[in-house]
Amino acid sequence: MRLFHSAASAVALALVAQPALAEELATKKAIEAEYDSYLAPLFLDFHAHPEMGFLENRTAAKMAAELKAAGLEVTTGVGKTGVVGMLRNGKGPTILIRADMDGLPVEEKSGLPYASKAKQVGEDGKEYPTMHACGHDTHITAMIATARRLVATKGQWSGTLMFVVQPAEEGVRGAKAMMEDGLYTRFGKPDYALAFHVAADLETGKVSASEGIQYSSSDSLDIMVPGIGTHGAAPHLGRDPVYIASQIVTALQSIDSREISPLKPVVVTIGSFHAGSKHNIISDEARLQVTVRANEEETREQVIATIERIAVNIGKAHGLPDNLPVKVMRGSGTPVTNNDPALARRLNAVMARELGAQAVVPFAQQNMGAEDFTYFVAPDTGVPGYYFAVGGTTPERIAAAKAGGPAIAGHHSPLFQIAPRESITLGARAMVAAVMDLAGKKK
């Protein structure tokens, strides 16, 4: 009887799963056909015209036009350059679907035939080469695919969809700006929030999501180290900020090994060190730019407080007067991004059911990258969030790299590249599957 019961259960499960698999096959074919006929030129256009954070005027206008053409109610200028598209389809949950759209001040060296040659004047007034070196062009193209598919299948779900085209993710500023501009008061508080990121280190055809922490926190700190300028041949007559700042750089590397528990991941990276203008002049200032990463909010605050303590007191130890203290300024930052455990378990099961069990890879944190999606799902919002990764590199390229061929370039590299068709179509399929599950089926 037990054997019969197990076999009967398996048959029953297979019968239940068959309609879902058939429906997913139809979705797969429809989205792939739409990529070939409509989406591919959009991706190429986005890739050729990357724009930096809060300067995405062309990208925002194009996204607004595409969402409006798909049948959504569109509002622009939310959180500076952000776009919101609303799709109302009867009673049901409100689901936020987010895609970030900004590029980076990076000169593309991928060698791709469609590589970006664009340049843009940044917020600082300087001109930079620009590139979609993090895959945001795939995110917004997949959003268009998702919107068009869900409009075409309105008879199969019920509720309200909030498509959020977010600016300035790279500086972790855009989500906060949209929230401060009244995203939830103006458009309604969602019942769920969804997003994905293409991943260069994950092979195409795969998705992965945590049932807890998905991304680390990130904070940008600026450290101003004053000095007393003098001739390089007479250092005793001044206070050398380069030497003092060098001591600070070295001392900050002790934080993760001597200040924080070894069981709690922490990264303190000095990304920029600027001082002086001539060989034989001791300058009167040095500036450091620092990024801090942590996996817990308590640890995050402890690290930042420790950086300030170390920096200020090293300045004092080297004789800086009280009226010339080392200053630590905290800039933009984002908390840890956590998936809602119950929602993640539910949607991970949906991904396995709709995309196939082989498509779902158990999540493992590979680095301490950060995301400002967390502002949409912060504890004080009460909005459960689900953020997942979509594979961006073909198995063939990964196998070639393992065999000694060209390495897979990481995100923010000038060599960064992903497989657009595979990434965009799978990202859209996964997002449609999640919405269909959360919004249910009309009777």
Side-chain angles (χ1 to χ4, degrees):
M1 289 294 295
R2 180 173 296 176
L3 179 62
F4 173 80
H5 177 73
S6 299
S9 298
V11 171
L13 286 171
L15 290 174
V16 170
Q18 279 179 357
L21 290 172
E23 182 177 308
E24 165 52 26
L25 182 60
T27 299
K28 179 178 185 294
K29 289 182 176 179
I31 291 175
E32 289 179 349
E34 181 130 296
Y35 182 87
D36 295 334
S37 64
Y38 189 84
L39 299 169
L42 284 175
F43 165 76
L44 293 174
D45 184 78
F46 288 136
H47 191 84
H49 298 92
E51 297 174 296
M52 293 182 287
F54 289 139
L55 299 171
E56 314 95 335
N57 297 300
R58 183 185 187 278
T59 307
K62 197 168 186 68
M63 285 299 296
E66 287 293 333
L67 293 177
K68 187 175 181 179
L72 280 65
E73 304 168 20
V74 175
T75 303
T76 59
V78 182
K80 296 187 178 179
T81 49
V83 178
V84 177
M86 301 298 295
L87 179 56
R88 307 178 198 279
N89 187 34
K91 295 182 178 180
T94 297
I95 303 171
L96 183 154
I97 301 169
R98 176 271 211 167
D100 39 9
M101 62 173 163
D102 53 323
L104 285 157
V106 173
E107 181 180 0
E108 183 162 3
K109 299 178 182 178
S110 65
L112 293 169
Y114 54 85
S116 169
K117 297 178 176 61
K119 294 183 179 180
Q120 187 178 35
V121 176
E123 291 176 292
D124 59 1
K126 299 178 182 178
E127 186 178 69
Y128 297 91
T130 54
M131 173 189 176
H132 271 298
C134 205
H136 295 184
D137 46 355
T138 65
H139 303 171
I140 52 179
T141 309
M143 171 176 276
I144 295 170
T146 301
R148 290 171 65 90
R149 184 60 185 166
L150 289 169
V151 168
T153 56
K154 288 175 71 174
Q156 299 176 31
W157 60 273
S158 181
T160 298
L161 305 183
M162 180 192 304
F163 288 83
V164 173
V165 188
Q166 185 207 304
E169 185 278 331
E170 296 296 357
V172 292
R173 300 179 294 161
K176 185 177 182 182
M178 295 190 82
M179 291 296 286
E180 289 176 346
D181 200 14
L183 181 67
Y184 288 177
T185 56
R186 295 168 62 184
F187 302 97
K189 177 182 171 182
D191 296 288
Y192 308 100
L194 311 175
F196 82 85
H197 204 300
V198 67
D201 58 355
L202 184 64
E203 72 177 51
T204 51
K206 307 293 185 183
V207 297
S208 184
S210 170
E211 295 180 5
I213 182 172
Q214 185 80 15
Y215 290 103
S216 303
S217 66
S218 174
D219 288 280
S220 296
L221 306 180
D222 290 279
I223 303 178
M224 195 279 286
V225 182
I228 299 174
T230 184
H231 198 293
H236 60 292
L237 299 179
R239 289 289 181 266
D240 186 350
V242 173
Y243 181 72
I244 297 170
S246 298
Q247 296 288 307
I248 292 172
V249 170
T250 301
L252 294 187
Q253 302 312 309
S254 71
I255 292 176
D256 65 338
S257 65
R258 291 297 178 268
E259 297 275 351
I260 306 297
S261 166
L263 302 180
K264 296 182 178 181
V266 165
V267 167
V268 178
T269 294
I270 291 80
S272 175
F273 189 143
H274 288 280
S277 59
K278 192 67 177 174
H279 303 75
N280 61 348
I281 300 173
I282 290 177
S283 68
D284 58 4
E285 182 180 275
R287 289 186 174 268
L288 305 176
Q289 293 180 312
V290 184
T291 187
V292 178
R293 309 297 172 108
N295 278 359
E296 297 175 357
E297 289 302 299
E298 182 180 356
T299 303
R300 175 192 183 195
E301 296 303 324
Q302 182 183 353
V303 172
I304 292 171
T306 303
I307 288 172
E308 184 168 15
R309 188 197 78 217
I310 289 173
V312 170
N313 284 292
I314 284 179
K316 290 180 179 179
H318 284 283
L320 289 179
D322 291 342
N323 65 339
L324 284 178
V326 173
K327 295 179 181 179
V328 179
M329 288 78 72
R330 187 170 179 174
S332 59
T334 184
V336 173
T337 298
N338 290 299
N339 278 345
D340 179 81
L343 180 62
R345 284 192 293 271
R346 174 179 176 177
L347 293 183
N348 279 347
V350 169
M351 298 301 162
R353 184 184 75 228
E354 299 291 339
L355 306 180
Q358 77 287 345
V360 180
V361 177
F363 178 82
Q365 190 177 17
Q366 301 291 334
N367 55 52
M368 300 193 77
E371 246 291 347
D372 66 352
F373 175 74
T374 187
Y375 284 104
F376 300 128
V377 296
D380 61 354
T381 66
V383 177
Y386 178 71
Y387 197 113
F388 59 100
V390 171
T393 303
T394 62
E396 293 78 14
R397 285 191 64 223
I398 290 176
K402 290 180 179 178
I408 304 301
H411 294 242
H412 294 205
S413 165
L415 303 177
F416 176 83
Q417 60 174 286
I418 48 80
R421 186 180 191 273
E422 294 87 340
S423 304
I424 291 166
T425 56
L426 183 61
R429 287 167 55 203
M431 196 65 78
V432 168
V435 170
M436 288 290 191
D437 183 79
L438 296 172
K441 307 285 175 63
K442 287 184 175 180
K443 303 297 184 182

